[in-house]
Amino acid sequence: MSMGKKLVIVESPAKGKTIERYLGEGYQVLASVGHVRDLVSPRDLPADLKKGAYGKFAVDVDHGFAPYYVVSDEKKKTVAELKRALKDADELILATDEDREGEAIAWHLLEVLKPKVPVKRMVFHEITKDAIEQAKDSMRELNMPLVDAQETRRILDRLYGYEVSPVLWRKVRQGLSAGRVQSPTARLIVDRERERMAFVPASYWSLTAQFEAEGARFGARLVRLGGARVATGSDFDDRGQIKGVRTVLDAAAAEALAAELEQGSFRVAGVESKPYRRRPSAPFTTSTLQQEAGRKLKLSAKQTMSVAQSLYEQGYITYMRTDSPSLSAQAIKAAREQAAALYGKESIPQAARHYSGKSKSAQEAHEAIRPSGDAFRTPSEVKGALTPNEHRLYELIWKRTVASQMIDATGQTATITIASEKTTRGVAEFTASGTVITEPGFLQAYEEGKDASRYAEDAESEGTLPDVKESDPVSLAELERKDHVTTPPPRYTEASLVKALEELEIGRPSTYASIIDTIVRRGFVTQRGGALVPNWIAFSTIKLLEDNLGDYVDYDFTAEMLADLDRIADGELDREEWLRRFYFGSDERPGLKSTVENLGDIDARAVNSIPVADGVTLRVGQYGPYLEGEGPDGETKRANIPEDLTPDQLTPEKAAELFAAEPAQDRVLGQHPETGLDVVVKDGRFGPYIEEALPVELDDEGKPVAPKKGKAAPKPRRASLFKTMEPESVDLDTALKLLALPRVVGVDPESGDEITARPGRYGPFLSKGTDTRSLDDEDQIFSITLEQALERFAQPKYGARKAASALKEFDADPVSGKPVKVRDGRFGPYVTDGETNATIPRGEDVEAITFERAVELLQLKREKGPAKKPARKPAAKKPAAKTAAAKSAGAKTTAGKTTGAKTTAARKPAAKKKTDTTEQP
């Protein structure tokens, strides 16, 4: 880089490539690939600091809540490259995202690089030529309140996680974690399941008629009988009781009434017509985009944000993390022009539409998510340049944006009331409704999706109505009797959970994807279909937190913390003072520290016990949930809980059924021809298996001798059944083959090594010395020949076909400099650059993996380090006390606002703990 050039640093290589096209000569763009340093794990602190002020949290809570940051080994190469480039630059431009996280990344870069040239901050909410030019002309200083807010959130999550999680380890289960947003979110899902468990269904009947008039047939529903409303599902509470004065029809009443009506006559009792008007939805915010992409595109929140980030970094949409639905004047003009061009000038109102957010904590500085530029590209124009998921999401954003500037949909809604002759229970009134859209307006472009309704079955269907007037006769063509049972509140889907979190102001919409991912990954919730179902471990966890740390899973308290972080970001609150009150307490409220210290004795058995029925309790044990009850003679009886049984399905009746189920009996298949011992098929905790039963030793009196225990005890030979085998049908020959495993396939003629085939934890495989190869299925263990095995070993590790072709290929990784590929491996799809392999998390669509997501997965894998214990190292000498430069908002210097010592170090961290108690953003 020659003298006189400006160094621009962004956080993403893809973003860097896009803006480099618009910056022109004189600029070099490099990527930090996210944060260059982070709060160290306490276990990775230098030895002499582990017992000091930083020892518990890697945060000095007694001296300004100063965090201890480190540059990881994986980021040292990146930092070195940035420093080399900075030596030849005459100006540093920090162009990370404009939100708190981006501002914090910029500040960390400033702290690590320690530039001696002027520093400027460039921000933009879309990556277009005009936006970049405008950003170049309106550089600003670092926004230190935003940095304070991000750092406060990071420290807050560390304090919460590291104080509360150990309580769960001691009283519920090792390895669990608690989080400021994670735990209240899990509570929401548990609360919904509790509602479902307490729900009492009610039954009722309805009558639906088909009438004929003016040669047309139309449907109508019985709504009133004798002047009183006929009950529908929404008229019952969750205890199965009727609300208000309603007529409830049972089977006998419905049949008797129908019999009378079928013999009677009907007339039009009234015709009502009223205007219909529907307004377009506001442009997308982060939350509404996640909800709608979930409903219409079936994308998870995580997939939606990944695809949206890719679209933003390629310059197709504006910044995807925003709480504001407002559009700039430029965007309004573009949307109106496109609507007029596609749907006619009459499709847009005279005055532009303006939208504002409802959330108290919304960051209105950002614009809504929309297509970028001052002239929107249509979905058909960009289809060839985008992946299928990128195109689908772009089309959704484009439609919503254009529709937001179109006129209302209008028409007329007519309701016809049909009355019967008087029956023994009074006059029966039916109603039929229909809407005629005379002006489709915005519906030409877009219609918002809806979450599944609990009472959809009772909703009146819309249809075409005949032209009738009051007193006209109508004839009954058909009368349907239908029975109904009320349904419990629906479980949360990702879309409805995002909506609930936003309404309660729990967490930021930009963090919802990672929150949902966390509670699923950590075993609190399981996704079944589209529903989020809490596991029993979540019930124990939430019960402990509610009973002992109620504030910290309270929805209002969580929302207050979010509001306070917003006030810190606005410069209205001091970060240090707020953290002191949160952790040490104040006159108004005890702090987290004293609350945890004064918890007292928590009864772990009570925490992990959930009443099911009189004398029946569900216990959450270390190895899973089980039922415990008392038998007829006072003995304790237990029963396992089937994995596919959801909490609301565990009724007293189901518990009795589980207790009554006959335990699987051992089945003797025959005697082993070599040992003479019985070969038995058994059903164990981890599935069915074969066992060679050891003989029972008898004493001199012929009584069984207690078997030896410990290492000296003889061990019977065992072998698990293959997945394709059933305990009821397995025979002796098959059992003998299983007991004889591993099977010797043959000997490699070149190396002389024996080749064996056997089942393994991750599937069947071949073994030759230290080398292995996967088999396609378990049956191949018995069928593969030596020639076939040698052919497999001659191929690359995961098979020639899989190794030869990648599912997707990308540009070079910014760290290793090698091409990034998505492959299908032995344990599922993964990302690799040839040096590092990173598994693609379960639930992520391989097709939706972008270059940026692939780079992120590789970086996360590098930061995690190898899965082995680190070698012991001599205690590191304590570095000279080095106070990080006070945070600066200046463009040329790092002098300015001091926020307390933040010691930096570029030490090699040890491998991370298996349990991460820090909630991620």
Side-chain angles (χ1 to χ4, degrees), residues 282-291 305 320-326 357 367-369 400 502 509:
F284 281 130
T285 62
T286 302
S287 171
T288 55
L289 177 64
Q290 291 176 18
Q291 293 174 50
M305 293 308 293
M320 65 287 165
R321 296 187 181 95
T322 175
D323 300 323
S324 172
S326 65
E367 195 178 351
I369 303 169
R400 177 96 162 207
E502 184 179 37

Coordinates of all heavy atoms in Angstrom, one line a residue, residues 282-291 305 320-326 357 367-369 400 502 509:
A282 N -46.7 -2.0 8.0 CA -45.5 -1.2 8.0 C -44.3 -2.0 7.4 O -44.3 -3.2 7.4 CB -45.1 -0.7 9.4
P283 N -43.3 -1.3 6.8 CA -42.1 -2.0 6.3 C -41.5 -2.8 7.5 O -41.8 -2.6 8.7 CB -41.2 -0.8 5.9 CG -42.1 0.3 5.6 CD -43.3 0.2 6.6
F284 N -40.6 -3.7 7.1 CA -40.1 -4.7 8.1 C -39.1 -4.0 9.1 O -38.3 -3.2 8.7 CB -39.3 -5.8 7.4 CG -40.2 -6.8 6.8 CD1 -40.1 -7.2 5.4 CD2 -41.2 -7.4 7.5 CE1 -40.9 -8.2 4.9 CE2 -42.0 -8.4 7.0 CZ -41.9 -8.8 5.7
T285 N -39.3 -4.5 10.3 CA -38.2 -4.3 11.3 C -37.6 -5.7 11.5 O -38.0 -6.7 10.9 CB -38.8 -3.9 12.7 OG1 -39.7 -4.9 13.1 CG2 -39.6 -2.6 12.5
T286 N -36.6 -5.8 12.3 CA -35.9 -7.1 12.5 C -36.9 -8.1 13.0 O -37.0 -9.2 12.6 CB -34.8 -6.9 13.5 OG1 -33.8 -6.0 13.0 CG2 -34.0 -8.3 13.7
S287 N -37.7 -7.7 14.0 CA -38.7 -8.6 14.6 C -39.8 -9.1 13.6 O -40.0 -10.3 13.4 CB -39.4 -7.9 15.8 OG -40.5 -8.7 16.2
T288 N -40.4 -8.1 12.9 CA -41.5 -8.5 11.9 C -40.9 -9.3 10.8 O -41.6 -10.1 10.2 CB -42.2 -7.3 11.4 OG1 -41.3 -6.3 10.9 CG2 -43.0 -6.6 12.6
L289 N -39.7 -9.0 10.4 CA -39.1 -9.8 9.3 C -38.9 -11.3 9.7 O -39.2 -12.2 9.0 CB -37.7 -9.2 8.9 CG -36.9 -10.0 7.8 CD1 -37.7 -10.0 6.5 CD2 -35.5 -9.5 7.6
Q290 N -38.4 -11.5 10.9 CA -38.3 -12.9 11.5 C -39.6 -13.6 11.5 O -39.7 -14.7 11.2 CB -37.6 -12.8 12.8 CG -36.1 -12.4 12.8 CD -35.5 -12.3 14.2 OE1 -36.1 -12.8 15.1 NE2 -34.4 -11.6 14.3
Q291 N -40.6 -12.8 12.0 CA -42.0 -13.4 12.1 C -42.5 -13.8 10.7 O -43.0 -15.0 10.5 CB -42.9 -12.5 12.8 CG -42.6 -12.2 14.2 CD -43.5 -11.1 14.8 OE1 -44.7 -11.1 14.7 NE2 -42.9 -10.1 15.4
M305 N -31.9 -14.3 9.7 CA -30.9 -13.2 10.0 C -29.6 -13.5 9.1 O -28.9 -12.6 8.7 CB -30.6 -13.2 11.4 CG -31.7 -12.7 12.3 SD -32.4 -11.1 11.7 CE -31.0 -10.0 12.0
M320 N -30.0 -4.8 8.5 CA -31.1 -5.8 8.9 C -31.3 -5.8 10.4 O -32.2 -6.5 10.9 CB -30.8 -7.2 8.4 CG -29.6 -7.8 9.0 SD -28.0 -7.1 8.4 CE -26.9 -7.8 9.6
R321 N -30.6 -5.0 11.2 CA -30.9 -4.9 12.6 C -31.4 -3.6 13.0 O -30.7 -2.6 13.1 CB -29.6 -5.2 13.4 CG -29.1 -6.6 13.2 CD -27.9 -7.0 14.1 NE -27.4 -8.3 13.9 CZ -26.4 -8.6 13.1 NH1 -25.7 -7.6 12.5 NH2 -26.0 -9.8 12.9
T322 N -32.7 -3.5 13.1 CA -33.4 -2.2 13.3 C -34.7 -2.4 14.0 O -35.4 -3.4 13.7 CB -33.6 -1.5 11.9 OG1 -34.4 -0.3 12.2 CG2 -34.4 -2.3 10.9
D323 N -35.1 -1.5 14.8 CA -36.4 -1.5 15.5 C -37.4 -0.5 14.8 O -38.5 -0.4 15.2 CB -36.3 -1.1 17.0 CG -35.3 -2.0 17.7 OD1 -35.4 -3.2 17.4 OD2 -34.6 -1.6 18.6
S324 N -36.9 0.2 13.8 CA -37.7 1.3 13.2 C -38.4 0.8 11.9 O -37.7 0.3 11.0 CB -36.9 2.5 13.0 OG -37.6 3.5 12.2
P325 N -39.7 1.1 11.8 CA -40.4 0.8 10.5 C -40.4 2.0 9.5 O -41.1 1.9 8.5 CB -41.8 0.5 11.0 CG -42.0 1.4 12.2 CD -40.7 1.5 12.8
S326 N -39.7 3.1 9.9 CA -39.8 4.3 9.1 C -38.9 4.1 7.8 O -38.0 3.4 7.8 CB -39.3 5.5 9.9 OG -37.9 5.4 10.2
G357 N -42.5 3.4 15.1 CA -42.5 2.2 15.9 C -43.3 2.4 17.2 O -43.5 3.6 17.7
E367 N -33.3 3.0 9.7 CA -34.4 2.9 8.8 C -34.9 1.5 8.8 O -34.3 0.5 9.3 CB -33.9 3.3 7.4 CG -35.1 3.6 6.5 CD -34.5 4.0 5.1 OE1 -33.3 4.2 5.0 OE2 -35.3 4.1 4.2
A368 N -36.1 1.3 8.3 CA -36.7 -0.1 8.2 C -35.9 -0.9 7.2 O -35.0 -0.4 6.5 CB -38.1 0.0 7.6
I369 N -36.1 -2.2 7.2 CA -35.4 -3.1 6.3 C -36.1 -3.0 4.9 O -37.3 -3.2 4.8 CB -35.4 -4.5 6.8 CG1 -34.8 -4.6 8.2 CG2 -34.7 -5.4 5.8 CD1 -35.0 -6.0 8.8
R400 N -43.2 -6.1 0.7 CA -43.7 -5.4 1.9 C -43.4 -3.9 1.8 O -44.2 -3.1 2.1 CB -43.0 -6.0 3.1 CG -43.3 -5.4 4.4 CD -44.4 -6.1 5.1 NE -44.5 -5.7 6.5 CZ -44.9 -6.5 7.5 NH1 -45.4 -7.6 7.2 NH2 -44.9 -6.0 8.8
E502 N -40.9 -9.4 21.7 CA -40.9 -8.0 21.4 C -42.0 -7.2 22.2 O -41.7 -6.1 22.7 CB -41.2 -7.8 19.9 CG -41.1 -6.4 19.4 CD -41.3 -6.2 18.0 OE1 -42.1 -6.9 17.4 OE2 -40.6 -5.3 17.4
P509 N -34.6 -7.5 19.3 CA -34.9 -8.3 18.1 C -33.7 -8.9 17.4 O -33.8 -10.0 16.9 CB -35.7 -7.4 17.2 CG -36.3 -6.4 18.2 CD -35.3 -6.2 19.3

